[in-house]
Amino acid sequence: MQLFEGSRQTFAKRSLVLIVLLAALCGFAQRGASLLKPGDKLRLIVVGMEDYSGEYVVLDDGSISGYGFSRLVVEGKTILEAERMVRQELSKILKSPAVSLVLLEQRQNFVYLAGAENDAGPIPYIPGLTLKQLVASIRLSPDVDEIEVRLSRRGTTVAKLPLERLLRISDEEDLALEAGDLVLLLPAPMMRVWFTGQVVRPGRLTIPEGASLYQGIAAAGGLALPRETVDGQRVLFDEMRIVVHRGAQRWELPSQPQPDQPPFQLEAGDMVSVETPGRMRVTIGGEVRTPGEYVLKQDSDIGVLLSMAQGMTTRGSLANVLILRGSEAFSIDYAKQLASGRLQGFTLQSGDFVYVQENTRYVYILGHVAEPGRYVVPDRQEFRASDLLALAKGLRNSGTLRRVSLVRPAEDGKYVAREFHLDEFLKDGKLESNPVLQPGDILLFGQPQGLTLGSIGQVTSAALLIQILFGL
């Protein structure tokens, strides 16, 4: 009888050891890498101590409790780490206990999707799953611009963005999901904005919060060209303008988005007016190629009118453009504005008369040149001695570049002559030998017989001086 009892105990011990080995083999792949979490099912085996063995489920607070050991938080621990924690606790009451902890069943990881038309519920979590992949895998409402996506993680909202934007982001911008994440598809917060003027559906519209100006225009059906003409001309899309009123603030924006400008964000209560530009009639005369009356858009400037008149003639000047408006008259140095690149944009009004005057800024070239006479100083460019010589068709055979006289009136009105060598500029590029000319200057190529630089300077009358020099 004793022999039988001893054999039974030996068999029981060997069976327990076998169970431990089998359990260890079953859970070997998970012992080192898997991290425990609530819901995981564990098997604790204490060799020779069946009372201390048992099965446990990790509670919601991440802990397990058993016979011989108090509450142990094992969430986030590997099986081996949790096993050492149990062994350490049992060592307080047992001598060198043989402890083995096996993962019997691992709770499936999920992410959760809810809201809008989709109550998908728990979705098995796969490492690497992203927010865009999850949302794109389900059937979506056609009104994607009216849905907002919110991602919550452990009770905290970590992302909130429009569904339409989520579907357009790149893979680099996409958000990686974690097990237990909650994704909500909710109606997007909306705001009310008024649209008036040339839109397909004017009135008060409800659009998503944060919508840009041009998204709001699209929600209003887009721009609508007027059927009627303005002064016989059709209005084009790029001529229309958008005005946004927000309380006392006002913005005027182009009819189409600009690539280099950030989108204008609308706010609740804004009033958006799409306006058709008016037209005005302005007359231009004087030294222009095609004088007459022209129909322009409102707020056009002199440059637009000159372009329509095909520019000025060779005798014209933009340095003193006259604008007659009723009983008023304005003088605009448009040439100076063009040269500086800072157009102050004198705005024309309907009924204005613009007169481009003749260029009376003359210089004279005399002496041994092919075509001596009077020449106009052109607008908006530096005019040097070599430029004037080119207009005069160069030198005669008797002419020379070595001794050229520049005759210029001084502050007291007396003409002063100085000599320079233009050939030094043409050969060596010496700018000092190619002076910049001013209105009233006289260039003399070759000195007339009996006339010196000093005697030229004694002549105080330009008419007399030119008459003397023309006699060469």
Side-chain angles (χ1 to χ4, degrees):
M1 188 69 179
Q2 291 179 352
L3 178 62
F4 176 76
E5 183 67 26
S7 299
R8 189 175 65 174
Q9 291 179 356
T10 302
F11 177 78
K13 290 181 180 180
R14 288 178 179 177
S15 299
L16 188 57
V17 171
L18 182 59
I19 292 172
V20 171
L21 291 175
L22 289 174
L25 288 173
C26 292
F28 180 77
Q30 300 148 324
R31 288 171 63 82
S34 296
L35 300 181
L36 296 174
K37 60 183 178 302
D40 288 349
K41 189 174 182 180
L42 307 175
R43 172 67 177 173
L44 176 63
I45 301 170
V46 183
V47 179
M49 300 288 182
E50 294 185 15
D51 291 342
Y52 291 90
S53 302
E55 293 184 359
Y56 302 94
V57 175
V58 180
L59 301 179
D60 290 340
D61 64 357
S63 70
I64 59 174
S65 300
Y67 183 64
F69 62 93
S70 58
R71 177 177 177 272
L72 297 176
V73 178
V74 297
E75 182 180 4
K77 308 292 185 181
T78 65
I79 293 293
L80 292 176
E81 290 173 336
E83 183 181 280
R84 283 195 293 267
M85 294 171 65
V86 174
R87 183 182 297 112
Q88 185 176 0
E89 286 296 308
L90 291 179
S91 296
K92 297 177 181 178
I93 58 176
L94 300 175
K95 184 177 180 180
S96 302
V99 177
S100 179
L101 191 62
V102 179
L103 179 60
L104 295 180
E105 183 179 328
Q106 192 171 31
R107 192 192 70 179
Q108 174 69 55
N109 287 327
F110 293 95
V111 291
Y112 301 89
L113 180 65
E117 296 181 359
N118 305 281
D119 276 326
I123 297 175
Y125 171 74
I126 301 173
L129 181 65
T130 66
L131 181 60
K132 180 180 177 181
Q133 291 171 345
L134 174 66
V135 173
S137 67
I138 63 174
R139 184 174 60 87
L140 295 171
S141 165
D143 300 324
V144 294
D145 58 340
E146 297 180 4
I147 298 176
E148 181 180 78
V149 181
R150 293 187 186 181
L151 172 60
S152 296
R153 181 172 297 157
R154 291 183 286 276
T156 302
T157 300
V158 296
K160 181 171 63 174
L161 70 166
L163 174 57
E164 182 266 341
R165 179 184 166 195
L166 172 65
L167 297 177
R168 290 188 292 105
I169 65 175
S170 63
D171 292 342
E172 291 74 17
E173 298 175 296
D174 205 356
L175 299 172
L177 295 177
E178 296 181 5
D181 281 353
L182 173 62
V183 178
L184 297 174
L185 301 182
L186 302 174
M190 308 298 281
M191 62 182 180
R192 290 176 176 157
V193 177
W194 282 93
F195 291 87
T196 63
Q198 296 303 133
V199 292
V200 175
R201 294 190 298 274
R204 188 178 67 175
L205 297 181
T206 302
I207 59 177
E209 282 188 4
S212 71
L213 171 63
Y214 300 103
Q215 288 173 331
I217 293 290
L223 301 178
L225 287 176
R227 295 181 180 179
E228 68 278 3
T229 60
V230 180
D231 286 327
Q233 297 185 9
R234 297 291 299 179
V235 176
L236 303 178
F237 277 120
D238 59 358
E239 294 182 273
M240 304 175 79
R241 60 184 180 181
I242 303 173
V243 180
V244 180
H245 296 273
R246 181 180 298 161
Q249 295 178 293
R250 179 183 184 276
W251 294 270
E252 186 171 321
L253 301 142
S255 60
Q256 303 293 332
Q258 305 299 303
D260 57 339
Q261 297 294 327
F264 183 92
Q265 300 295 323
L266 293 175
E267 294 183 6
D270 284 351
M271 176 173 287
V272 179
S273 176
V274 180
E275 301 177 0
T276 302
R279 293 290 194 271
M280 60 182 178
R281 294 180 180 273
V282 178
T283 302
I284 187 170
E287 297 297 332
V288 292
R289 297 185 186 278
T290 313
E293 184 183 69
Y294 292 91
V295 178
L296 291 79
K297 292 187 298 184
Q298 289 285 357
D299 302 330
S300 296
D301 64 8
I302 296 173
V304 175
L305 180 60
L306 283 170
S307 176
M308 297 183 72
Q310 300 182 8
M312 64 180 181
T313 66
T314 56
R315 299 188 302 273
S317 172
L318 299 178
N320 185 20
V321 180
L322 293 179
I323 295 97
L324 304 178
R325 178 178 297 164
S327 60
E328 296 180 296
F330 304 89
S331 176
I332 305 298
D333 189 348
Y334 198 67
K336 184 177 181 180
Q337 293 185 22
L338 291 173
S340 66
R342 295 190 296 271
L343 297 180
Q344 298 176 1
F346 183 89
T347 302
L348 297 173
Q349 295 182 9
S350 188
D352 282 353
F353 178 77
V354 178
Y355 188 82
V356 178
Q357 301 190 82
E358 182 181 356
N359 191 344
T360 57
R361 301 182 303 138
Y362 297 113
V363 291
Y364 304 86
I365 184 168
L366 306 170
H368 297 275
V369 294
E371 295 184 4
R374 185 178 69 175
Y375 291 88
V376 170
V377 178
D379 288 337
R380 293 185 295 155
Q381 69 182 60
E382 196 175 63
F383 195 62
R384 292 182 176 268
S386 59
D387 299 320
L388 180 56
L389 179 60
L391 290 177
K393 305 295 178 61
L395 295 172
R396 298 178 191 167
N397 292 334
S398 58
T400 177
L401 300 173
R402 185 62 186 165
R403 298 175 62 190
V404 184
S405 299
L406 171 60
V407 184
R408 176 177 293 169
E411 292 183 0
D412 59 1
K414 181 179 179 180
Y415 278 84
V416 177
R418 72 178 181 87
E419 190 176 89
F420 63 95
H421 306 299
L422 186 57
D423 57 338
E424 293 180 353
F425 168 75
L426 298 177
K427 291 178 181 179
D428 305 324
K430 187 177 180 181
L431 282 179
E432 294 82 355
S433 298
N434 187 25
V436 176
L437 300 181
Q438 300 176 3
D441 283 353
I442 301 171
L443 277 190
L444 177 59
F445 284 82
Q447 197 173 78
Q449 187 176 2
L451 193 63
T452 65
L453 291 180
S455 59
I456 291 175
Q458 294 174 0
V459 179
T460 58
S461 168
L464 177 61
L465 176 61
I466 293 170
Q467 187 178 20
I468 293 173
L469 296 177
F470 263 125
L472 296 177

